Amino acid sequence: MTSRITRIAAAMATCALSLGALAAGGGTAAAASSATGVGASSPRAAVDARAAAVDRCSYQVVRSDDSRYVYSVSGVVGGSTREFPVQEEDFVRISDTWFKVAQVDTCAGGQSQAPVTLRVTGKLDRPEHYDPSVPRTIRSGALRPASSAVIPKAPRLTSVDRVDAATVRVNWEAAQGSPDQVIVLERKPFYSSELGLWHPYTFRWNAPDGATSMDRKLQRDPGVPAGIRSHSYWMRVVKDGFVSDLRAERPTTVEP
């Protein structure tokens, strides 16, 4: 049983990476992230990261990603260093490079002081599988958070309307603040030939400048299991290397 689970996990990772080809035509597949943006074949000595306050208790950290490592975010608060729990995290593509976005709770445990600096630490996962030359720990520099003014705001998704039996139109308000990219996120069933089954998958579609709607095709294959047939849509924006508040994302779900 264990070996079967391992094979399934490996196949899903391979499937995720292969979906990068779907980026042609304006869309970009989500899971290509873990192997891009960093040199996976060579050790990293540091983590490329930036940070900003989202509000009084939430801070956003945007960092490069090497999937060999497990990451944490810590900060200097009141003269001592504390590790912060993650509220939300996801991958995002910025200037043709994948980064990991994590929002952390700096008020956890009753803490009220804002962190002076933040730092990302990555610890090598399963170090016994790697040559001793691969760094066991990698870190970012000390990150002095930018103000909440740098966090862009995603436009509100207003409706998802049915165009025909196999198509919906996703509508949103005009983006404010001239973001670098407006992104429509779509979660729907995807067939993995490696696994031989359907599973939910999130796609990211870059909206053209000035657009306030996008048509998307529904997956109506009769082989899709009943429990994963629904499609969900939500909005995200990127500006100057930061991302809209991940906690504010509220998917709108429709049935095919």
Side-chain angles (χ1 to χ4, degrees), residues 123-239:
K123 293 189 178 297
L124 189 64
D125 190 25
R126 300 186 179 182
E128 66 276 9
H129 297 310
Y130 295 92
D131 186 90
S133 63
V134 178
R136 268 43 188 169
T137 302
I138 55 176
R139 295 182 176 88
S140 70
L143 308 173
R144 191 168 294 274
S147 74
S148 58
V150 306
I151 301 296
K153 186 174 182 179
R156 185 174 67 91
L157 191 155
T158 55
S159 65
V160 179
D161 303 327
R162 195 172 295 271
V163 176
D164 54 41
T167 310
V168 293
R169 179 164 296 153
V170 183
N171 303 285
W172 61 89
E173 294 178 341
Q176 303 298 311
S178 302
D180 299 328
Q181 189 62 62
V182 177
I183 302 164
V184 178
L185 291 105
E186 175 186 45
R187 189 163 180 82
K188 67 179 183 178
F190 179 82
Y191 186 75
S192 167
S193 58
E194 290 89 348
L195 298 175
L197 53 78
W198 291 91
H199 61 89
Y201 197 85
T202 300
F203 297 86
R204 292 156 168 80
W205 305 100
N206 293 340
D209 290 345
T212 56
S213 68
M214 177 182 289
D215 288 359
R216 300 300 314 141
K217 289 294 183 182
L218 299 172
Q219 179 51 259
R220 296 167 58 83
D221 191 291
V224 178
I228 63 168
R229 287 179 185 165
S230 62
H231 293 51
S232 296
Y233 304 90
W234 63 102
M235 306 300 297
R236 181 178 292 172
V237 297
V238 175
K239 184 175 182 179

Side-chain angles (χ1 to χ4, degrees), residues 17 101-102 104 145 180 209 226:
L17 292 173
V101 179
V104 296
D180 299 328
D209 290 345

